């Protein structure tokens, strides 16, 4: 269950026609690329994502926090973070020979968001035009990446395909997009201090989904949640921007973004226990299951018992702790970016309430937030977004 989540939203897992194609790309000389003239900039490529998992002497949280510190440092060191509004007043076509094509690329990204993430798309309408387009571009890349292991063609995806997707990502950051969606992302990362590391880490999460279906403890699960969901918060903060009057450290804001991604993914896991079990997957910490007197067999059996209820109460409590941590950073964001983030937080938190309302039966009942509650959450989120740092 890759369950990729943009910090400002979540999207459904239903299959759609894949946006990803590896055809005609068996080698660098044979790549069937659409070149967008004028795209050229330094990538500042980070070390490969395996570096995050390399040092097993420290906990996953400690290793991931190193990435958080690096992303925060990039924003502080990059002067674009303080005067980005000046650069974004001009049309995107000013930087490209074929500006009309680039504008179409951003529009296509917006169409994908509007179709598959309606609440998210609505929330982005409060952002400035350029921030909105950039968030769309990041969303589409994340969705395409998620589809590699969770989409209609997932049964055909191999580690080699993910390696090619990572090489394609590097090309995008170096200004060599393959298609219009790539071009939108290339332009986005050229304008904002967005680092490649979280993108590579997300691909690493997809690799884990290909080969790993059990997690021995929460430390292992935390790293997986960072890869597939926490990364998106790190991608998004440079685009969303930090409030000019924020007194919080950049590191704290990035850590809150990470926490929301972790919270959302933990919620996904708790919501989808039955669905994942039918695919032979268990995303709950094995040691905690054993401590509760439970095993994989109990999950596959799908019967709600007192032991299961007690176990789920502890899992839900932990997810809520991450939501609490995430709240600390939302008010520090740029005012135009707060509403969609608050909407995501409030809506996803209510999924945990729904699991409780279903008497912890996440085997055969899918917890969801009804339309009425969703509609009521939007004005509540908007009210919270008016509260600054």
């Amino acid at each position: 269950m890759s369950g990729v989540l943009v910090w400002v939203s979540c999207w459904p897992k239903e299959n759609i026609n894949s946006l990803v194609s590896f055809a005609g790309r068996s080698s660098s000389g044979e790549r069937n690329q659409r070149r967008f003239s004028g795209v050229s900039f330094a990538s500042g490529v980070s070390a490969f994502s395996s570096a995050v998992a390399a040092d097993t002497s420290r906990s996953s949280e400690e290793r991931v926090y190193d990435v958080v510190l690096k992303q925060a440092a990039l924003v502080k060191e990059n002067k674009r973070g303080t005067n980005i509004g000046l650069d974004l007043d001009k049309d995107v076509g000013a930087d490209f020979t074929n500006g009309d094509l680039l504008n179409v690329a951003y529009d296509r990204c917006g169409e994908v968001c509007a179709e598959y993430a309606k609440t998210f798309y609505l929330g982005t309408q409060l952002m400035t035009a350029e921030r909105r387009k950039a968030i769309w571009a990041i969303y589409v890349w994340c969705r395409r990446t998620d589809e590699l292991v969770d989409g209609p063609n997932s049964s055909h995806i191999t580690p080699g395909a993910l390696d090619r997707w990572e090489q394609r990502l590097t090309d995008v950051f170096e200004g060599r997009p393959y298609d219009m969606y790539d071009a939108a992302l290339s332009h986005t990362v050229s304008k904002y201090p967005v680092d490649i590391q979280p993108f590579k880490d997300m691909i690493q999460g997809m690799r884990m989904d290909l080969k790993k279906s059990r997690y021995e403890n929460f430390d292992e699960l935390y790293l997986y949640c960072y890869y597939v969901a926490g990364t998106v918060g790190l991608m998004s903060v440079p685009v969303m921007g930090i409030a000019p009057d924020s007194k919080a450290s950049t590191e704290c804001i990035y850590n809150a973004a990470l926490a929301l991604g972790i919270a959302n993914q933990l919620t996904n896991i708790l919501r989808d226990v039955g669905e994942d079990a039918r695919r032979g997957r268990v995303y709950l910490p094995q040691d905690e299951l054993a401590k509760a007197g439970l095993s994989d067999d109990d999950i596959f059996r799908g019967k709600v018992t007192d032991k299961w209820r007690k176990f789920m109460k502890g899992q839900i409590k932990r997810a809520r702790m991450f939501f609490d941590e995430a709240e600390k950073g939302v008010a520090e964001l740029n005012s135009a970016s707060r509403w969609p983030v608050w909407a995501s937080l409030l809506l996803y938190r209510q999924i945990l309430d729904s699991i409780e309302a279903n008497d912890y039966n996440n085997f055969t009942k899918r917890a969801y937030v009804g339309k009425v509650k969703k509609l009521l959450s939007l004005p509540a989120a908007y009210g919270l977004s008016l509260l600054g740092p």
Side-chain angles (χ1 to χ4, degrees):
M1 180 184 64
S2 50
V4 176
L5 296 164
V6 166
W7 192 30
V8 295
S9 181
C10 55
W11 50 81
K13 297 170 69 176
E14 288 78 12
N15 291 344
I16 64 169
N17 292 329
S18 179
L19 298 169
V20 183
S21 174
F22 294 98
R25 296 179 53 247
S26 59
S27 69
S28 59
E30 297 171 353
R31 291 174 188 148
N32 181 20
Q33 300 182 24
R34 178 189 293 273
R35 298 291 183 181
F36 285 72
S37 56
V39 186
S40 179
F41 46 88
S43 65
V45 176
S46 304
F48 281 91
S49 54
S50 59
V52 178
D55 183 5
T56 56
S57 65
R58 297 189 300 156
S59 71
S60 293
E61 291 190 56
E62 290 174 320
R63 286 175 277 154
V64 169
Y65 192 61
D66 286 345
V67 181
V68 170
L69 293 176
K70 180 177 180 180
Q71 306 312 304
L74 285 173
V75 171
K76 288 191 290 187
E77 293 169 4
N78 195 311
K79 298 301 182 182
R80 286 181 295 178
T82 59
N83 62 4
I84 198 164
L86 299 175
D87 295 334
L88 298 181
D89 287 337
K90 56 187 178 183
D91 186 83
V92 292
D95 293 331
F96 292 81
T97 303
N98 198 339
D100 289 341
L101 193 57
L102 183 63
N103 281 315
V104 170
Y106 275 119
D107 289 342
R108 292 274 182 87
C109 292
E111 290 168 5
V112 174
C113 295
E115 183 170 0
Y116 297 105
K118 292 179 175 61
T119 302
F120 159 53
Y121 180 80
L122 178 64
T124 61
Q125 300 307 305
L126 283 184
M127 297 180 179
T128 63
E130 299 306 331
R131 291 186 193 276
R132 178 166 63 242
K133 291 175 181 178
I135 287 294
W136 290 346
I138 293 173
Y139 170 93
V140 168
W141 185 87
C142 291
R143 186 176 182 92
R144 297 174 90 181
T145 302
D146 185 47
E147 280 193 342
L148 291 173
V149 298
D150 233 14
N153 299 316
S154 59
S155 60
H156 305 294
I157 294 300
T158 65
L162 292 176
D163 291 343
R164 292 194 296 274
W165 187 244
E166 184 166 342
Q167 179 56 53
R168 175 168 170 162
L169 171 69
T170 300
D171 289 342
V172 166
F173 266 74
E174 292 178 349
R176 298 189 298 275
Y178 287 65
D179 60 20
M180 297 185 75
Y181 298 115
D182 285 351
L185 183 61
S186 264
H187 185 249
T188 291
V189 301
S190 74
K191 296 174 75 70
Y192 294 88
V194 178
D195 186 42
I196 199 173
Q197 184 70 50
F199 293 82
K200 286 190 172 186
D201 286 344
M202 178 174 285
I203 296 173
Q204 183 67 12
M206 303 304 115
R207 291 190 179 100
M208 290 178 72
D209 258 330
L210 288 182
K211 64 183 180 181
K212 193 174 178 68
S213 60
R214 300 291 188 279
Y215 293 84
E216 290 303 317
N217 50 50
F218 184 70
D219 189 67
E220 285 190 8
L221 185 63
Y222 178 89
L223 186 60
Y224 171 75
C225 290
Y226 160 69
Y227 280 146
V228 301
T231 49
V232 192
L234 306 189
M235 299 174 193
S236 304
V237 170
V239 175
M240 290 185 170
I242 297 172
D245 54 341
S246 172
K247 299 297 190 296
S249 69
T250 308
E251 291 85 356
C252 287
I253 297 171
Y254 266 90
N255 208 45
L258 170 66
L260 184 52
I262 300 293
N264 284 349
Q265 185 60 21
L266 289 175
T267 301
N268 264 356
I269 289 169
L270 299 180
R271 179 195 64 193
D272 297 340
V273 168
E275 177 184 328
D276 290 326
R278 288 186 285 276
R279 298 167 59 195
R281 294 179 172 274
V282 177
Y283 287 91
L284 300 167
Q286 292 290 309
D287 62 341
E288 295 179 17
L289 282 169
K291 187 176 181 179
L294 298 164
S295 68
D296 289 355
D297 288 340
D298 293 298
I299 293 174
F300 295 143
R301 198 174 297 118
K303 184 178 179 180
V304 178
T305 63
D306 288 341
K307 285 182 179 180
W308 180 253
R309 292 185 183 93
K310 183 178 180 180
F311 173 76
M312 283 302 301
K313 287 177 182 178
Q315 300 299 307
I316 289 173
K317 180 179 180 181
R318 177 162 53 203
R320 283 180 173 145
M321 287 173 61
F322 278 98
F323 278 121
D324 291 343
E325 183 66 26
E327 282 191 11
K328 299 175 184 178
V330 183
E332 309 298 332
L333 292 175
N334 181 282
S335 59
S337 301
R338 292 178 203 142
W339 185 33
V341 180
W342 272 117
S344 169
L345 194 155
L346 294 180
L347 289 171
Y348 240 65
R349 210 171 200 168
Q350 289 180 73
I351 294 176
L352 298 175
D353 299 337
S354 181
I355 294 173
E356 292 173 331
N358 288 341
D359 192 29
Y360 305 99
N361 182 1
N362 41 10
F363 300 118
T364 59
K365 292 183 179 180
R366 184 176 175 86
Y368 67 94
V369 180
K371 290 184 178 179
V372 174
K373 287 186 177 181
K374 282 184 178 180
L375 290 174
L376 292 175
S377 295
L378 293 178
Y382 183 74
L384 289 169
S385 72
L386 300 177
L387 303 175

